[in-house]
Amino acid sequence: MIVIMTVIRKAFKFRLDPTTEQAQQMVEFAGANRFVWNKALALNLSRLENKQALLWYFELVFWLGLWKQSEEYAFLKAVHSQPLQQTLKDLSRAFSDAFDKTQPLKRIPRFKKKGAGGGAAGGAGGGARDSFRYPQGCKLDEKANRVYLPKIGWVKYRNSRQVIGDIKNMTVSRKGGHWCVSIQTEYEAQTSPHPSTSMVAIDLGVNRFATLSDGSYLEPLNIFKQLQEKLAFAQRRLSKKVKFSANWKKQKKKIARLYERIANARHDFLHKASTLISKNHAMVVVEDLKVRNMSKSAKGDLANPGRNVKAKSGLNRSILDQGWGMFIQMLQYKQTWLGGEVIKVNPQHTSQTCPECHHVSKDNRTAQSRFKCVECGYTENADLVGALNVLARGHRVLACGVETLVLTMKQEPLGSSDTRPILAA
Ligand SMILES: [Zn+2]
């Protein structure tokens, strides 16, 4: 089989949590950037008017050096030089695009205003907000949730998704009242782009292994139940045998084999399930298990005894608990391979928030499997509600996480009767 490898370029956007001092520096950097853009643009526009040749990147960089040396524009020295040069590169590109006859929609670059600059129509760096870009020198420390921006230092960010590939550049921009970083990467993958363009969210649960935001779900395989019963039986028998006797040892071996069978069945199940989801969806949003384990009650499963959830799900749960982490890992590498992605979101209150009116209440969860909003009366399968809320959070992550954003979900209303298992149990 011939596998064609393609280079995939991707941008990963995160919200930054700079210190007051760092935020001030960012304001200065963005301001200097805007200044350099406008200054160089004015220079070129006057040359155009006087029918003189335009200044291109290397000439503009020379001019930048002169401005820096002048007393008037000494503030430019406080800013890292590379983002400023990037701006000049963008301006040069915008000018060459503007005169490119094959691209009729391009316009002459425009001046940038504070907070909402004009820039080139569609031109790189001509975005509609304060920003500056580093072509190199940035570092990413995912474990400590921080990025290194030259001359600003290590800045905390809200780590919501794994960054895949080699970092090519980083752009810092302001959106509303906060700062975001967009990390541009490149990596090789099997196909490009992902065969699908859809986005789906997954709610991981006990009764259903996984519920998808499109209404489909995965049930744990029956073989788990059978093997668990066998295991429980075998363990009872072991307890009745004389320790270290020949029979006891034999029984011990039997139990070890059962564990192995369960592990194999689970591995097989997780592989099938992750392949199925990965093939069909370019973006997969999941709950961040690290956060979820810290706040187990948020899920409401065991905290809400309802119908002896605890007794029913004991072993099943422990088996699946270990499985969830593995499942997400598998999803992650399969998505990377296919050119898709996995996004992790904060799982808090996903089971208690109403997807319709966004009312958050424990009372919204009447029984283990039913959700009924005490505010607006919206009723749905509880696991599906979890998945819909996870999906909404995924959308917010892609938009650089505006916390107050109204959740917009253009989902068809799904009765629980519409849901169907997508992997035969
Ligand atoms: Zn509601």
Side-chain angles (χ1 to χ4, degrees):
M1 190 179 81
I2 299 168
V3 176
I4 298 168
M5 299 297 286
T6 322
V7 174
I8 293 182
R9 287 187 186 85
K10 206 161 216 160
F12 298 85
K13 204 165 186 184
F14 302 100
R15 179 155 170 186
L16 289 170
D17 284 323
T19 63
T20 319
E21 204 181 314
Q22 288 171 335
Q24 185 52 37
Q25 273 180 299
M26 289 175 186
V27 170
E28 281 164 21
F29 274 42
N33 232 30
R34 189 172 55 241
F35 172 85
V36 165
W37 170 280
N38 289 342
K39 192 93 184 133
L41 175 58
L43 195 63
N44 261 343
L45 289 182
S46 78
R47 291 179 72 92
L48 265 183
E49 221 175 81
N50 297 318
K51 305 217 176 344
Q52 291 171 300
L54 284 176
L55 299 176
W56 298 100
Y57 174 63
F58 288 105
E59 295 151 308
L60 290 173
V61 167
F62 173 76
W63 275 88
L64 174 62
L66 293 182
W67 296 332
K68 272 185 171 179
Q69 281 161 33
S70 77
E71 232 171 87
E72 204 182 347
Y73 308 136
F75 63 90
L76 292 175
K77 279 189 203 153
V79 178
H80 198 269
S81 56
Q82 281 185 343
L84 298 179
Q85 290 171 10
Q86 281 293 303
T87 295
L88 295 178
K89 211 171 244 180
D90 291 341
L91 184 69
S92 270
R93 163 106 41 89
F95 266 111
S96 70
D97 282 350
F99 293 106
D100 183 349
K101 289 193 180 63
T102 64
Q103 298 185 53
L105 290 176
K106 299 282 180 181
R107 288 177 296 169
I108 296 284
R110 286 179 292 169
F111 290 102
K112 290 190 184 195
K113 286 183 215 139
K114 193 176 182 186
R129 61 176 92 111
D130 286 345
S131 69
F132 52 96
R133 184 168 71 242
Y134 292 100
Q136 61 191 65
C138 295
K139 283 174 235 166
L140 176 67
D141 182 356
E142 288 181 294
K143 273 194 188 130
N145 307 320
R146 55 185 197 161
V147 286
Y148 180 79
L149 305 173
K151 230 163 172 168
I152 290 177
W154 288 104
V155 183
K156 288 268 173 202
Y157 75 98
R158 301 194 187 174
N159 188 352
S160 47
R161 49 205 287 223
Q162 194 192 2
V163 172
I164 307 158
D166 302 325
I167 295 168
K168 288 294 156 191
N169 61 61
M170 288 195 195
T171 304
V172 178
S173 63
R174 179 145 64 174
K175 191 184 181 197
H178 57 256
W179 291 91
C180 298
V181 63
S182 177
I183 304 173
Q184 190 83 43
T185 74
E186 258 181 32
Y187 62 95
E188 285 202 334
Q190 192 181 5
T191 49
S192 165
H194 191 279
S196 155
T197 53
S198 73
M199 178 162 168
V200 82
I202 305 174
D203 179 87
L204 296 170
V206 178
N207 296 328
R208 290 169 169 186
F209 172 74
T211 303
L212 277 66
S213 54
D214 63 6
S216 57
Y217 59 87
L218 298 167
E219 262 176 320
L221 293 180
N222 279 333
I223 190 164
F224 287 143
K225 266 183 218 157
Q226 293 162 20
L227 289 173
Q228 281 158 36
E229 277 158 24
K230 271 190 184 169
L231 187 64
F233 180 72
Q235 267 162 342
R236 273 200 303 278
R237 285 191 62 174
L238 180 74
S239 66
K240 285 175 192 147
K241 298 200 189 302
V242 181
K243 251 190 184 174
F244 307 115
S245 67
N247 276 337
W248 182 86
K249 282 178 185 162
K250 223 171 121 187
Q251 191 64 16
K252 261 281 200 206
K253 261 188 189 163
K254 219 176 193 174
I255 289 173
R257 272 202 303 275
L258 272 172
Y259 266 116
E260 208 175 300
R261 280 184 66 193
I262 289 175
N264 285 338
R266 185 182 63 193
H267 198 248
D268 191 52
F269 168 76
L270 296 176
H271 258 307
K272 278 186 186 143
S274 54
T275 299
L276 191 69
I277 292 172
S278 182
K279 265 199 319 210
N280 290 313
H281 303 283
M283 288 275 188
V284 181
V285 193
V286 293
E287 295 170 289
D288 191 339
L289 292 180
K290 267 184 298 183
V291 183
R292 181 158 127 160
N293 291 340
M294 282 188 286
S295 56
K296 266 205 171 114
S297 63
K299 199 63 193 154
D301 285 348
L302 298 175
N304 181 358
R307 292 174 296 142
N308 69 10
V309 177
K310 209 168 199 166
K312 197 172 137 196
S313 61
L315 189 56
N316 190 17
R317 189 191 167 92
S318 72
I319 285 174
L320 290 176
D321 259 354
Q322 301 161 31
W324 288 334
M326 207 188 288
F327 178 66
I328 290 174
Q329 267 179 15
M330 286 177 175
L331 266 179
Q332 228 153 13
Y333 79 72
K334 284 174 189 181
Q335 283 295 75
T336 306
W337 185 243
L338 283 171
E341 204 192 322
V342 173
I343 298 172
K344 288 181 189 172
V345 297
N346 187 342
Q348 270 184 330
H349 306 305
T350 47
S351 63
Q352 299 168 6
T353 306
C354 173
E356 278 295 310
C357 73
H358 321 305
H359 180 71
V360 182
S361 169
K362 259 186 190 152
D363 302 331
N364 283 346
R365 189 88 178 246
T366 48
Q368 176 59 22
S369 61
R370 287 313 286 174
F371 179 98
K372 185 168 194 261
C373 178
V374 292
E375 198 68 25
C376 75
Y378 173 85
T379 312
E380 189 47 271
N381 175 285
D383 295 324
L384 179 56
V385 165
L388 291 174
N389 285 326
V390 170
L391 182 69
R393 286 176 194 194
H395 281 301
R396 271 188 284 171
V397 163
L398 291 178
C400 186
V402 182
E403 303 301 331
T404 52
L405 197 83
V406 176
L407 315 184
T408 47
M409 280 179 296
K410 290 283 168 243
Q411 286 273 336
E412 291 299 311
L414 287 159
S416 54
S417 53
D418 295 336
T419 61
R420 62 218 178 270
I422 53 173
L423 195 69

